[in-house]
Amino acid sequence: MRAVQWFTLLCLQSLVLCWMGESDETAPTTVIIDQLYGYPGEGYSLSIAIGTPPQEFKVILDTGSSNFAIAAAQHKNATSYFLRSQSTTYQSLDKTASVEYTEGFWSGSLGRDVFSLSGVTERSVLVDLVCIENSRDFFQTGANWQGILGLAYASLAKPDSSVTPVFKDMLQQRTVSENIFSMQLCGTVDRNHSYDVSVGGKLVLDGVASELYRGDILYTPIVKEWFYEVELTDIAVDGTSLDMDCKEYNTPKTIVDSGTTSLRLPTAVYNKLLEMLKRKYRNKVCGKSAEFWKSSVSCCWSPVDGSQFKAFPNISLSLSLAGNSSQQFTLVVPPQLYLQAVNNTADDQMNAKDCYKFSIFPSSSGTVLGAIVMEGYYVVFDRTNRQVGFAQSTCEVRAAEFAKPVVKGPMKAKNTSCRYQAPSKNKLSTMSIILIILSLVIILPVTFCLVVTCSRSRNSSGDLSVHAEDWTDSSAANSSDERHLI
């Protein structure tokens, strides 16, 4: 049976490669997948199909991980799961994998099968996938997705980099022709305050969609290819810099991650930002409660009361400019982004109120520019040129009182060389060796001189003698170089 499965899989791969060869002259055109969907705090999902015949699922789109993983066993929070036995093209790879996220965990068996994005089935590809058999706090109550599609680099893949991420498989099998993709995440799409806070967006393959942004795309370099790691040069509140060592903003890293729904900052940076936000907040309706700033409670107000948003300051995130490290550009993040829309309670609906939660959190693993930041911009992951681009999005705002996020720059960088550098064990070892050598250089000659001096000062009986002329006058002794051992 296994031999038959392998034969079928190889035949399918041959057909895919044959199709690739025939399509060399006509490169795939840019594809806009207009079906990203979800709820605040849950991420953006899209429809995919796996296996033969195809089984359809929804998966979270995640630039902060690299594995493609799908529910393959019953779970109370997964509305469906992949039936491997019903796919004639599924092949086990006899390996297991597990991933620990900021929140949640899963583990399962590695396999390989046919994959396609719904609506673009002509771009089917053979991919590595993990069939999730065990999990903790991964599938969420009420969520309408059954897995995750990691779009980061292979070095993050579990159990090791031999597992090929889906996008790399698509590139190698030439179902996409360009090593670039982009996202337009639009946040809450409801325009009439009908208490529907669902989010929507688009995924773009094979190029950049000019209709999804305004102005220029400004790029920041990817400083390391694992996550999409970038470098912050400054953080400000209403134009006033936090004025911290810029390396602290990137300790130990800064990443662009669609799978994290909030903005996360190193604890020291978070504390300084929170202090400044509270100081600049001009209305005590929401901020009077410490629980609001901890995101434990939401704040609600009438949709027509735009003054509530205006009471909160803007946050500016500055990034180094690709190709010119002496310059930067700035993402101006208005409160409509960092205050995340939440489902209204029955009482709030009766009183026609919109509700929001503060969505910035402290982090022990570095800065994460999550979905609430990305929702303000058209974001391009240009893997060919190792850079991430940001431009003003054409997403509509939820209501007239919403300020639109903007991209400012380029401009002279406030700081340079802001990437965090972990202490090197090799450097420490080198320093230890240097100290040891210096100690030997100093101590050995001193010891040698002591021994020689003492041996010369012994009398015939072998006793150590003290010369009277050396010690009769203490002032003379202090003034004479002979009194000091060298």
Side-chain angles (χ1 to χ4, degrees):
M1 182 63 182
R2 178 170 292 183
V4 173
Q5 287 178 317
W6 268 115
F7 178 75
T8 305
L9 197 62
L10 288 171
C11 287
L12 280 168
Q13 190 159 14
S14 297
L15 287 171
V16 169
L17 293 172
C18 180
W19 174 82
M20 285 163 26
E22 292 176 354
S23 59
D24 277 350
E25 296 180 1
T26 307
T29 56
T30 299
V31 173
I32 301 176
I33 301 171
D34 186 12
Q35 55 177 238
L36 304 189
Y37 180 81
Y39 284 93
E42 294 181 4
Y44 288 76
S45 64
L46 78 165
S47 299
I48 56 98
I50 317 169
T52 308
Q55 301 175 42
E56 294 191 356
F57 304 96
K58 291 185 183 298
V59 292
I60 293 293
L61 203 61
D62 183 23
T63 61
S65 67
S66 299
N67 285 90
F68 169 41
I70 195 77
Q74 283 187 324
H75 190 283
K76 63 180 181 179
N77 292 330
T79 54
S80 59
Y81 60 96
F82 180 44
L83 297 170
R84 288 165 280 185
S85 61
Q86 293 187 15
S87 173
T88 59
T89 50
Y90 175 79
Q91 178 61 48
S92 172
L93 296 180
D94 297 322
K95 287 184 180 181
T96 59
S98 61
V99 169
E100 189 91 32
Y101 297 96
T102 304
E103 297 176 359
F105 160 87
W106 57 250
S107 64
S109 302
L110 272 165
R112 193 161 175 81
D113 209 337
V114 180
F115 164 93
S116 66
L117 298 169
S118 294
V120 284
T121 52
E122 70 276 8
R123 297 193 179 206
S124 295
V125 61
L126 300 173
V127 300
D128 293 339
L129 72 154
V130 180
C131 297
I132 301 175
E133 296 151 348
N134 299 289
S135 65
R136 182 190 71 251
D137 299 330
F138 177 67
F139 298 109
Q140 299 178 8
T141 304
N144 190 33
W145 50 266
Q146 299 82 38
I148 190 165
L149 179 59
L151 293 172
Y153 292 95
S155 56
L156 280 185
K158 303 297 182 183
D160 53 56
S161 58
S162 67
V163 176
T164 307
V166 167
F167 188 76
K168 187 175 180 180
D169 262 331
M170 295 176 74
L171 191 67
Q172 289 177 340
Q173 296 174 42
R174 293 163 65 184
T175 54
V176 294
S177 62
E178 296 187 42
N179 196 11
I180 183 173
F181 65 89
S182 54
M183 295 182 189
Q184 186 194 56
L185 307 183
C186 290
T188 298
V189 296
D190 166 51
R191 305 289 172 246
N192 300 307
H193 299 281
S194 61
Y195 316 115
D196 177 8
V197 296
S198 59
V199 299
K202 299 176 178 67
L203 171 67
V204 180
L205 301 175
D206 267 331
V208 172
S210 59
E211 63 268 37
L212 300 184
Y213 68 94
R214 299 185 183 93
D216 296 327
I217 302 175
L218 296 180
Y219 289 92
T220 188
I222 296 172
V223 298
K224 183 179 178 181
E225 293 174 307
W226 56 327
F227 297 96
Y228 293 96
E229 183 180 349
V230 297
E231 183 181 290
L232 280 169
T233 57
D234 194 26
I235 298 177
V237 177
D238 268 355
T240 303
S241 172
L242 298 190
D243 203 23
M244 301 176 70
D245 181 342
C246 63
K247 288 184 174 63
E248 291 194 62
Y249 304 140
N250 304 292
T251 302
K253 63 184 181 297
T254 294
I255 65 173
V256 183
D257 178 12
S258 64
T260 297
T261 57
S262 57
L263 169 61
R264 295 180 177 269
L265 298 167
T267 301
V269 180
Y270 167 83
N271 289 338
K272 186 72 177 286
L273 177 73
L274 191 60
E275 175 189 340
M276 194 172 289
L277 285 174
K278 289 179 179 179
R279 190 164 63 244
K280 287 184 174 286
Y281 177 57
R282 296 175 288 275
N283 188 320
K284 302 303 179 184
V285 173
C286 295
K288 65 182 179 181
S289 169
E291 298 304 306
F292 169 77
W293 297 107
K294 295 178 183 178
S295 198
S296 300
V297 297
S298 58
C299 187
C300 305
W301 59 77
S302 168
V304 297
D305 187 6
S307 64
Q308 292 294 336
F309 275 124
K310 294 176 182 178
F312 288 91
N314 291 332
I315 297 173
S316 296
L317 304 171
S318 296
L319 295 155
S320 59
L321 184 70
N324 189 345
S325 60
S326 67
Q327 291 195 306
Q328 66 182 27
F329 64 90
T330 299
L331 308 178
V332 180
V333 181
Q336 291 89 339
L337 292 184
Y338 66 79
L339 298 179
Q340 191 174 71
V342 295
N343 283 315
N344 308 34
T345 64
D347 179 63
D348 295 322
Q349 291 183 23
M350 290 290 292
N351 292 286
K353 291 182 178 180
D354 286 343
C355 295
Y356 300 88
K357 275 190 176 182
F358 186 64
S359 195
I360 304 176
F361 299 91
S363 166
S364 60
S365 57
T367 295
V368 182
L369 306 182
I372 67 160
V373 175
M374 294 176 66
E375 284 169 356
Y377 312 94
Y378 178 61
V379 185
V380 181
F381 296 85
D382 181 356
R383 295 156 58 105
T384 296
N385 297 302
R386 293 187 61 174
Q387 58 187 6
V388 178
F390 294 84
Q392 185 175 351
S393 173
T394 58
C395 292
E396 296 180 29
V397 294
R398 190 181 183 195
E401 69 269 18
F402 276 44
K404 289 189 176 182
V406 296
V407 181
K408 290 184 175 181
M411 63 195 76
K412 184 179 179 181
K414 177 180 173 61
N415 303 293
T416 58
S417 302
C418 296
R419 187 181 178 192
Y420 170 76
Q421 297 290 340
S424 170
K425 292 182 179 180
N426 291 333
K427 288 183 179 179
L428 291 175
S429 299
T430 301
M431 183 59 70
S432 299
I433 292 170
I434 291 172
L435 290 173
I436 291 170
I437 293 172
L438 286 174
S439 299
L440 291 174
V441 169
I442 295 170
I443 293 171
L444 283 179
V446 170
T447 305
F448 176 76
C449 290
L450 280 171
V451 172
V452 171
T453 303
C454 290
S455 63
R456 288 178 177 177
S457 302
R458 289 181 184 276
N459 57 23
S460 59
S461 65
D463 295 327
L464 181 63
S465 64
V466 178
H467 299 282
E469 61 267 30
D470 289 338
W471 297 101
T472 52
D473 186 342
S474 61
S475 61
N478 290 334
S479 65
S480 173
D481 289 339
E482 292 179 355
R483 308 302 184 258
H484 301 280
L485 298 177
I486 299 174

